[in-house]
Amino acid sequence: MTITQTARPFVLCEAEVVLAQRLSPSFVRVHLAAPELAEFGTVGPSYDQRIKLVFPHEGGPLPVLGEGQDWYAEWLALPEAERGHMRTYTVRDVLGSGPDTRVVVDLVTHGTDGHGEAGPGSRWAASATVGSRVLLLGPRKGVVYGGIEFAAPEDSELLLVGDETAVPAIAAVLAQLPVDAAGAAFLEVPLGMDVQSLVHPPRVEVTWLPREGRPVGSLLHEAVLGHLGAGAAPVEVPEAEVEVGLWETPTYSSSGDSLDEHTTSVGHDLADLYAWIAGESRVVTGLRRALVRDLGLDRRQVAFMGYWREGVSMGA
Ligand SMILES: Cc1cc2nc3c(=O)[nH]c(=O)nc-3n(C[C@H](O)[C@H](O)[C@H](O)COP(=O)(O)OP(=O)(O)OC[C@H]3O[C@@H](n4cnc5c(N)ncnc54)[C@H](O)[C@@H]3O)c2cc1C
């Protein structure tokens, strides 16, 4: 399928895997190529730029979309068997230029080793080879597209926190920070073998937390609270209070919290802190409560994002 890009303020195209690498037991990296990706790009740094990938139903073709602006309505109107599965991923890197542009995406292969649940995204990743195809929706050069949440004020003390799904975003942010940036990053991954070598400014300390079979998020809370000098037991979040699509940033609140909500810090000097936290929704909710409710971090200094939810498929 070829999609003409002329009218659209974004890039939507069928992309082909030109390189598939098993990085470690939990990660596969794909390099995606398509002539239309010559127009792929952000206005300014891409940081945690998100994109949509549509995977085909197992063994089936990719959905065929027209050239209109309202691709989403068109996609939703397709019969379920032809629609495929849309999921959100992060631009880990962009290589090359022009028709040789490659969009690099790191996908977690959860549930494909017999442990936990798999999904269309993780299954596609685990079996991706040169020639595998997906639909890719992302930013077009020179057009403001959105989908970048990292927005640290200059000179802030950074706190980047995530599980494996946020490793690509944190890695991309770290690689694009100014050399004098300072702070800490905590990355929880399933296994010690999933630890990667990352490019980062020397004053940002990177700590990997391999779970090795422990529940997701179980190492993050202690590590983050310890870093802030506020040792505390994990905040238990009842199932009914977990918001699947938790999204709390300085400009948007999925829970409807007032964006002007401001509490006073209780005994911890958090005035210069900027926190970017993403991962499993219950884990991120617990961290949000600890940082905003208990420690009084100003919610204008945080981005808390539920990237996935245990037991829930993120199908659109
Ligand atoms: C802004 C944003 C950026 C993201 N960037 C990336 C990225 O770069 N790389 C990446 O791999 N993911 C990323 N994610 C997360 C990814 O979209 C979800 O993990 C998604 O659920 C994967 O789809 P799936 O088809 O594999 O599983 P789904 O069909 O959504 O879910 C099927 C089952 O798998 C479980 N599941 C989903 N994800 C995981 C997981 N990581 N570990 C264990 N179980 C899981 C679900 O709980 C469910 O039970 C991002 C999400 C967002 C919102």
Side-chain angles (χ1 to χ4, degrees):
M1 179 187 66
T2 306
I3 296 173
T4 311
Q5 299 291 324
T6 44
R8 289 174 163 152
F10 48 83
V11 170
L12 173 60
C13 65
E14 192 171 316
E16 182 177 330
V17 173
V18 291
L19 182 66
Q21 291 174 297
R22 171 60 77 169
L23 293 183
S24 69
S26 309
F27 289 96
V28 161
R29 170 168 295 169
V30 293
H31 289 206
L32 297 170
E36 295 88 339
L37 292 179
E39 287 303 312
F40 186 94
T42 51
V43 177
S46 62
Y47 292 134
D48 55 339
Q49 176 73 62
R50 59 182 177 267
I51 54 173
K52 296 284 185 194
L53 296 181
V54 180
F55 306 102
H57 277 296
E58 220 161 308
L62 282 170
V64 177
L65 297 177
E67 293 171 16
Q69 294 283 343
D70 200 354
W71 66 273
Y72 186 64
E74 208 184 308
W75 180 76
L76 276 182
L78 291 173
E80 218 173 311
E82 293 171 28
R83 210 184 294 158
H85 307 274
M86 190 182 330
R87 298 289 186 270
T88 309
Y89 287 87
T90 305
V91 177
R92 174 66 179 83
D93 206 351
V94 180
L95 305 174
S97 61
D100 295 325
T101 302
R102 307 284 183 255
V103 175
V104 181
V105 185
D106 288 356
L107 302 95
V108 177
T109 55
H110 62 89
T112 57
D113 60 353
H115 301 287
E117 277 192 65
S122 66
R123 275 190 220 102
W124 181 88
S127 62
T129 52
V130 170
S132 299
R133 300 179 86 82
V134 280
L135 287 191
L136 184 156
L137 172 77
R140 174 182 280 277
K141 271 181 190 162
V143 181
V144 175
Y145 172 85
I148 299 174
E149 303 300 345
F150 179 83
E154 218 177 308
D155 297 331
S156 48
E157 175 80 13
L158 299 172
L159 176 63
L160 306 172
V161 180
D163 64 23
E164 56 270 35
T165 59
V167 166
I170 293 176
V173 167
L174 287 172
Q176 294 175 67
L177 288 173
V179 71
D180 60 347
F186 294 93
L187 301 110
E188 192 188 273
V189 286
L191 300 167
M193 281 189 288
D194 292 317
V195 172
Q196 301 175 17
S197 170
L198 299 183
V199 172
H200 61 91
R203 292 201 301 133
V204 179
E205 193 181 343
V206 176
T207 304
W208 291 89
L209 303 164
R211 282 196 299 277
E212 306 288 357
R214 281 170 284 220
V216 69
S218 54
L219 303 178
L220 281 177
H221 195 97
E222 198 182 327
V224 170
L225 273 286
H227 170 73
L228 297 176
V235 176
E236 293 299 334
V237 182
E239 179 69 31
E241 294 174 23
V242 181
E243 205 187 325
V244 174
L246 169 74
W247 211 263
E248 300 288 334
T249 71
T251 54
Y252 178 80
S253 168
S254 60
S255 67
D257 276 0
S258 163
L259 298 173
D260 294 328
E261 176 191 316
H262 178 64
T263 41
T264 310
S265 179
V266 281
H268 306 275
D269 184 11
L270 304 176
D272 294 332
L273 192 75
Y274 170 80
W276 182 106
I277 301 183
E280 201 282 327
S281 292
R282 186 201 289 258
V283 175
V284 177
T285 302
L287 283 165
R288 178 172 190 267
R289 289 184 182 179
L291 267 64
V292 174
R293 188 188 63 187
D294 300 347
L295 295 183
L297 183 62
D298 188 328
R299 60 148 306 181
R300 290 168 296 192
Q301 293 166 235
V302 296
F304 289 101
M305 294 149 295
Y307 269 20
W308 64 288
R309 172 72 189 113
E310 204 150 36
V312 178
S313 170
M314 300 308 273

